[in-house]
Amino acid sequence: MTTAYIYDAVRTPRSRGKMGVGTLSEVKPINLLSGLLKGLQERHDLDTSLVDDVLMGCVTPMSEQGSDIARCAVMHAGWDESVPGVQLDRFCASGLEAVNSAAAKVASGMESLVVAGGVEAMSRVGMGSNGGPFLADPEFIADNLSVPQGIGADLIATIDGYNRDQVDTFAAQSQQRAANARDKGWFDGSVLPVTDRNGMSILQRDDFIKPNTSTETLGALRASFVQMGAAGFDDMAKRKYPQVMDINHVHTAGNSSGIVDGASAVLIGNKAMGEAMGIQPRGRIVATAVLATDPVIMLAGPGPAAKKCLQKAGLTVADIDLWEINEAFASVALRYMRDLGIDDSITNVNGGAIAMGHPLGATGGCLVSVVLDELERRDAKRAMISLCVGGGMGISTLIERV
C-alpha cells in the first residue's frame, strides 16, 4: 500500500447558521468552498492540473448546494478544467468520509493527489430540508423506530446516568477551551479568511464561540427535546430499551452542537507527488474505520469505530496522544470517553462543535486541521478523530505526524 500523506488541511471560520444573523449567511456555499480551493492553490503555488479528484461532503445537497457542488466549486475557483469533483453524503460523517475515501484512493495507488473536505451553508439550506426516509417516511420511521437524534442523545444520557449538571459542565468547558485556542491564535494557521469578490474580508476567525458561557447560564436553558419526546418518540425509543422507565431530557441548545456555516479542504497525496510539488507532508493517515450500531440510540458508534480503527492500525489506546470526538451532543462525547477509558485532559483539548458549531458536511475536514495544528503545537505524534453518524453509524480516522 502507498502511504497517504496529508500535505495541508484548511477550513473557513465558522459562524451562526441563520440567515441575516450569521456573518457568513451572505456567502453562497459555492463561494465558501471555492475560496478554500483558491487558498490551497495560493499557499502552495499549486499546479491544479495535478489534482486527480476533489471529494466534498454535503449533507443537504439541494438548492444552492445541489448539482454536485464539488465540481461546481472547482470550476468557480478557476482550477484546471481537467479536475473533476464529487459530492458525498454520509450524514454528519460526510467530511471525514471524503477524507477517508481520498486516502483510500491514494493508498491504493489509483490516484496520486486528491482534495477532500466538505461544505454546509446551514443558514441558506436548512438542515433536513432534503427529506428522505429517516425524516419523512412514516412507514420507515415506524418500522425502524427511527427517533430524532436529540432523543437518542437523551437516551444515552439516561442509560449512562449523565445528569444535566454533567452535560452542562462539559459544554461550558468546550466553550472555554475553544475561546482560549482561538484567542491565542492556535487555529490561525489553518483558518482561511472568507472574503467577498473584491477581496474585502467578511470573517477571519470563528465567531460562534461564546466565551462567557458558564454552567449557570447553561442551566437556565430549557431542554430541547421534551415536547418531541412527548409526541411519541420517547415511547418508540423505550420499545427498543424497555428497561428505561423515563427518558431524562438533559440536552439543550447550549450543550448540543451549534448550527453554523463552514467549509473544509484537505490536500492528500503520495510521496512522489509531494516531492514534485515541493511540499513537505504534515501527517499521514494510518487507518480508517466505519461501522454501524443500533440505529435507535443512533449516536453510540464513535467508540466502537475508534476501537476498530486502532485494531486495524495494530495500536492501543495508550498509543494515541489526542482524541477528537465531534460534539454532536455532550452525552456523545461523554460516552466516547467512557467507551475508550480516556479523560478530558486529552479529548477535545481545544473545544468542539458545542462551542464552534457543526457545519454538517464540512466538520470531518475541519477536525483534521484542528488535530494537525494541535499535534504540531504539542510536538505530539498521533490523534484519533471520530464522529457519530445518523442511522447508528460511527466513523474514525487515525492521523500520525511525520
Side-chain angles (χ1 to χ4, degrees):
M1 296 287 286
T2 300
T3 300
Y5 289 105
I6 301 171
Y7 287 100
D8 206 357
V10 297
R11 66 175 178 92
T12 66
R14 285 172 268 188
S15 188
R16 186 177 179 185
K18 185 174 182 179
M19 181 56 71
V21 178
T23 312
L24 295 178
S25 65
E26 65 178 275
V27 185
K28 295 184 294 186
I30 191 175
N31 289 338
L32 289 175
L33 200 50
S34 63
L36 286 183
L37 297 181
K38 291 177 182 177
L40 272 179
Q41 182 179 7
E42 292 168 0
R43 278 161 73 101
H44 303 292
D45 192 22
L46 178 64
D47 177 359
T48 60
S49 69
L50 298 175
V51 178
D52 291 309
D53 205 356
V54 173
L55 283 59
M56 290 293 164
C58 183
V59 177
T60 318
M62 60 179 293
S63 186
E64 290 183 302
Q65 292 179 164
S67 301
D68 187 358
I69 190 145
R71 172 58 180 161
C72 293
V74 167
M75 296 168 62
H76 202 52
W79 279 24
D80 192 90
E81 67 177 15
S82 66
V83 182
V86 64
Q87 173 266 324
L88 304 176
D89 178 14
R90 195 191 286 277
F91 298 135
C92 295
S94 298
L96 198 60
E97 175 64 29
V99 169
N100 291 355
S101 296
K105 283 172 172 275
V106 172
S108 70
M110 298 296 288
E111 293 181 355
S112 300
L113 188 65
V114 183
V115 176
V119 64
E120 210 77 39
M122 300 179 76
S123 62
R124 303 175 72 97
V125 185
M127 179 170 57
S129 57
N130 55 335
F134 274 104
L135 300 173
D137 185 334
E139 180 184 19
F140 179 90
I141 292 169
D143 288 350
N144 293 280
L145 305 178
S146 182
V147 301
Q149 289 193 353
I151 302 296
D154 285 339
L155 181 58
I156 289 175
T158 302
I159 291 172
D160 288 2
Y162 308 132
N163 59 35
R164 176 67 181 269
D165 183 63
Q166 287 173 295
V167 293
D168 282 348
T169 297
F170 180 86
Q173 177 180 262
S174 179
Q175 294 282 359
Q176 293 155 10
R177 288 181 169 184
N180 178 68
R182 178 195 61 186
D183 295 345
K184 288 186 175 178
W186 295 350
F187 299 144
D188 289 354
S190 296
V191 174
L192 302 188
V194 178
T195 60
D196 64 18
R197 63 184 301 139
N198 297 313
M200 300 295 291
S201 177
I202 296 173
L203 183 64
Q204 293 186 315
R205 283 182 160 188
D206 298 294
D207 70 357
F208 186 76
I209 301 168
K210 302 171 182 64
N212 296 322
T213 301
S214 66
T215 53
E216 290 74 25
T217 59
L218 290 172
L221 298 176
R222 195 180 305 179
S224 297
F225 306 105
V226 174
Q227 187 173 359
M228 191 178 290
F233 287 115
D234 278 2
D235 290 337
M236 288 174 61
K238 289 189 288 184
R239 282 174 57 191
K240 183 65 180 285
Y241 293 89
Q243 71 271 28
V244 175
M245 295 297 293
D246 292 295
I247 294 178
N248 185 18
H249 291 286
V250 298
H251 286 94
T252 69
N255 55 41
S256 307
S257 56
I259 295 173
V260 296
D261 300 330
S264 60
V266 183
L267 185 63
I268 300 170
N270 60 26
K271 182 179 180 180
M273 186 57 70
E275 291 173 347
M277 295 186 296
I279 306 174
Q280 292 295 318
R282 297 178 62 190
R284 72 184 184 96
I285 295 178
V286 179
T288 69
V290 65
L291 49 69
T293 59
D294 172 33
V296 178
I297 204 167
M298 194 181 300
L299 308 172
K307 291 178 181 179
K308 181 179 179 181
C309 198
L310 286 172
Q311 184 179 24
K312 291 169 72 174
L315 298 172
T316 68
V317 169
D319 295 313
I320 307 304
D321 299 297
L322 295 172
W323 300 82
E324 194 73 24
I325 170 66
N326 185 42
E327 296 171 357
F329 300 91
S331 66
V332 172
L334 294 173
R335 164 69 73 94
Y336 184 72
M337 289 188 283
R338 190 206 69 171
D339 281 352
L340 294 161
I342 57 178
D343 62 37
D344 61 4
S345 67
I346 53 173
T347 306
N348 290 18
V349 295
N350 290 329
I354 288 173
M356 290 183 280
H358 173 27
L360 305 178
T363 300
C366 292
L367 296 185
V368 174
S369 71
V370 168
V371 299
L372 270 179
D373 286 344
E374 189 62 17
L375 285 173
E376 291 169 353
R377 194 182 73 83
R378 293 178 176 230
D379 194 24
K381 189 172 185 179
R382 298 189 186 98
M384 181 74 78
I385 301 168
S386 303
L387 294 92
C388 60
V389 193
M393 295 181 285
I395 191 169
S396 285
T397 304
L398 177 56
I399 289 174
E400 182 178 272
R401 279 184 63 212
V402 297

